PDB file of all heavy atoms in Angstrom:
ATOM      1  N   MET A  53     -16.093  17.113  -1.122  1.00  0.00           N
ATOM      2  CA  MET A  53     -15.048  16.096  -0.904  1.00  0.00           C
ATOM      3  C   MET A  53     -15.650  14.694  -0.875  1.00  0.00           C
ATOM      4  O   MET A  53     -15.081  13.756  -1.438  1.00  0.00           O
ATOM      5  CB  MET A  53     -14.276  16.394   0.389  1.00  0.00           C
ATOM      6  CG  MET A  53     -13.253  17.536   0.219  1.00  0.00           C
ATOM      7  SD  MET A  53     -12.521  18.081   1.790  1.00  0.00           S
ATOM      8  CE  MET A  53     -11.649  16.603   2.284  1.00  0.00           C
ATOM      9  N   PHE A  54     -16.811  14.545  -0.237  1.00  0.00           N
ATOM     10  CA  PHE A  54     -17.485  13.222  -0.266  1.00  0.00           C
ATOM     11  C   PHE A  54     -17.828  12.843  -1.704  1.00  0.00           C
ATOM     12  O   PHE A  54     -17.571  11.717  -2.139  1.00  0.00           O
ATOM     13  CB  PHE A  54     -18.759  13.240   0.589  1.00  0.00           C
ATOM     14  CG  PHE A  54     -18.533  12.906   2.033  1.00  0.00           C
ATOM     15  CD1 PHE A  54     -18.795  13.835   3.028  1.00  0.00           C
ATOM     16  CD2 PHE A  54     -18.054  11.651   2.420  1.00  0.00           C
ATOM     17  CE1 PHE A  54     -18.570  13.530   4.378  1.00  0.00           C
ATOM     18  CE2 PHE A  54     -17.836  11.335   3.756  1.00  0.00           C
ATOM     19  CZ  PHE A  54     -18.103  12.281   4.736  1.00  0.00           C
ATOM     20  N   GLU A  55     -18.410  13.797  -2.421  1.00  0.00           N
ATOM     21  CA  GLU A  55     -18.809  13.553  -3.818  1.00  0.00           C
ATOM     22  C   GLU A  55     -17.592  13.114  -4.654  1.00  0.00           C
ATOM     23  O   GLU A  55     -17.652  12.156  -5.420  1.00  0.00           O
ATOM     24  CB  GLU A  55     -19.395  14.859  -4.383  1.00  0.00           C
ATOM     25  CG  GLU A  55     -19.962  14.751  -5.767  1.00  0.00           C
ATOM     26  CD  GLU A  55     -21.433  14.367  -5.764  1.00  0.00           C
ATOM     27  OE1 GLU A  55     -21.946  13.984  -4.694  1.00  0.00           O
ATOM     28  OE2 GLU A  55     -22.045  14.447  -6.835  1.00  0.00           O
ATOM     29  N   THR A  56     -16.483  13.808  -4.444  1.00  0.00           N
ATOM     30  CA  THR A  56     -15.253  13.535  -5.202  1.00  0.00           C
ATOM     31  C   THR A  56     -14.687  12.159  -4.820  1.00  0.00           C
ATOM     32  O   THR A  56     -14.260  11.387  -5.682  1.00  0.00           O
ATOM     33  CB  THR A  56     -14.216  14.649  -4.912  1.00  0.00           C
ATOM     34  OG1 THR A  56     -14.819  15.914  -5.216  1.00  0.00           O
ATOM     35  CG2 THR A  56     -12.948  14.466  -5.724  1.00  0.00           C
ATOM     36  N   MET A  57     -14.729  11.864  -3.515  1.00  0.00           N
ATOM     37  CA  MET A  57     -14.219  10.577  -3.038  1.00  0.00           C
ATOM     38  C   MET A  57     -15.036   9.425  -3.628  1.00  0.00           C
ATOM     39  O   MET A  57     -14.481   8.448  -4.134  1.00  0.00           O
ATOM     40  CB  MET A  57     -14.267  10.541  -1.505  1.00  0.00           C
ATOM     41  CG  MET A  57     -13.755   9.255  -0.902  1.00  0.00           C
ATOM     42  SD  MET A  57     -13.925   9.267   0.895  1.00  0.00           S
ATOM     43  CE  MET A  57     -15.679   8.856   1.079  1.00  0.00           C
ATOM     44  N   TYR A  58     -16.359   9.543  -3.563  1.00  0.00           N
ATOM     45  CA  TYR A  58     -17.210   8.464  -4.086  1.00  0.00           C
ATOM     46  C   TYR A  58     -17.035   8.326  -5.600  1.00  0.00           C
ATOM     47  O   TYR A  58     -17.009   7.214  -6.121  1.00  0.00           O
ATOM     48  CB  TYR A  58     -18.680   8.725  -3.747  1.00  0.00           C
ATOM     49  CG  TYR A  58     -18.997   8.608  -2.276  1.00  0.00           C
ATOM     50  CD1 TYR A  58     -19.751   9.576  -1.620  1.00  0.00           C
ATOM     51  CD2 TYR A  58     -18.538   7.522  -1.530  1.00  0.00           C
ATOM     52  CE1 TYR A  58     -20.033   9.469  -0.261  1.00  0.00           C
ATOM     53  CE2 TYR A  58     -18.817   7.411  -0.180  1.00  0.00           C
ATOM     54  CZ  TYR A  58     -19.564   8.384   0.452  1.00  0.00           C
ATOM     55  OH  TYR A  58     -19.842   8.273   1.783  1.00  0.00           O
ATOM     56  N   ASP A  59     -16.903   9.450  -6.275  1.00  0.00           N
ATOM     57  CA  ASP A  59     -16.738   9.436  -7.736  1.00  0.00           C
ATOM     58  C   ASP A  59     -15.466   8.683  -8.135  1.00  0.00           C
ATOM     59  O   ASP A  59     -15.396   8.082  -9.204  1.00  0.00           O
ATOM     60  CB  ASP A  59     -16.677  10.882  -8.257  1.00  0.00           C
ATOM     61  CG  ASP A  59     -16.534  10.949  -9.761  1.00  0.00           C
ATOM     62  OD1 ASP A  59     -17.467  10.506 -10.455  1.00  0.00           O
ATOM     63  OD2 ASP A  59     -15.482  11.402 -10.250  1.00  0.00           O
ATOM     64  N   SER A  60     -14.449   8.741  -7.247  1.00  0.00           N
ATOM     65  CA  SER A  60     -13.159   8.090  -7.542  1.00  0.00           C
ATOM     66  C   SER A  60     -13.038   6.720  -6.892  1.00  0.00           C
ATOM     67  O   SER A  60     -11.948   6.133  -6.913  1.00  0.00           O
ATOM     68  CB  SER A  60     -12.015   8.969  -7.042  1.00  0.00           C
ATOM     69  OG  SER A  60     -12.140  10.271  -7.510  1.00  0.00           O
ATOM     70  N   TYR A  61     -14.117   6.250  -6.270  1.00  0.00           N
ATOM     71  CA  TYR A  61     -14.099   4.961  -5.560  1.00  0.00           C
ATOM     72  C   TYR A  61     -13.029   4.927  -4.468  1.00  0.00           C
ATOM     73  O   TYR A  61     -12.408   3.892  -4.240  1.00  0.00           O
ATOM     74  CB  TYR A  61     -13.915   3.790  -6.543  1.00  0.00           C
ATOM     75  CG  TYR A  61     -14.973   3.770  -7.613  1.00  0.00           C
ATOM     76  CD1 TYR A  61     -14.718   4.250  -8.893  1.00  0.00           C
ATOM     77  CD2 TYR A  61     -16.255   3.303  -7.316  1.00  0.00           C
ATOM     78  CE1 TYR A  61     -15.706   4.260  -9.867  1.00  0.00           C
ATOM     79  CE2 TYR A  61     -17.247   3.310  -8.293  1.00  0.00           C
ATOM     80  CZ  TYR A  61     -16.966   3.781  -9.552  1.00  0.00           C
ATOM     81  OH  TYR A  61     -17.944   3.794 -10.508  1.00  0.00           O
ATOM     82  N   GLY A  62     -12.844   6.064  -3.807  1.00  0.00           N
ATOM     83  CA  GLY A  62     -11.891   6.120  -2.699  1.00  0.00           C
ATOM     84  C   GLY A  62     -12.586   5.857  -1.382  1.00  0.00           C
ATOM     85  O   GLY A  62     -13.824   5.871  -1.296  1.00  0.00           O
ATOM     86  N   VAL A  63     -11.798   5.609  -0.338  1.00  0.00           N
ATOM     87  CA  VAL A  63     -12.357   5.406   0.997  1.00  0.00           C
ATOM     88  C   VAL A  63     -11.982   6.550   1.945  1.00  0.00           C
ATOM     89  O   VAL A  63     -12.430   6.588   3.082  1.00  0.00           O
ATOM     90  CB  VAL A  63     -11.925   4.057   1.623  1.00  0.00           C
ATOM     91  CG1 VAL A  63     -12.575   2.907   0.865  1.00  0.00           C
ATOM     92  CG2 VAL A  63     -10.413   3.910   1.639  1.00  0.00           C
ATOM     93  N   GLY A  64     -11.174   7.473   1.431  1.00  0.00           N
ATOM     94  CA  GLY A  64     -10.809   8.640   2.221  1.00  0.00           C
ATOM     95  C   GLY A  64     -10.297   9.728   1.295  1.00  0.00           C
ATOM     96  O   GLY A  64      -9.806   9.434   0.197  1.00  0.00           O
TER      97      GLY A  64
END
Side-chain angles (χ1 to χ4, degrees):
M53 283 171 64
F54 272 117
E55 185 90 349
T56 305
M57 180 183 80
Y58 291 133
D59 181 64
S60 308
Y61 304 101
V63 291

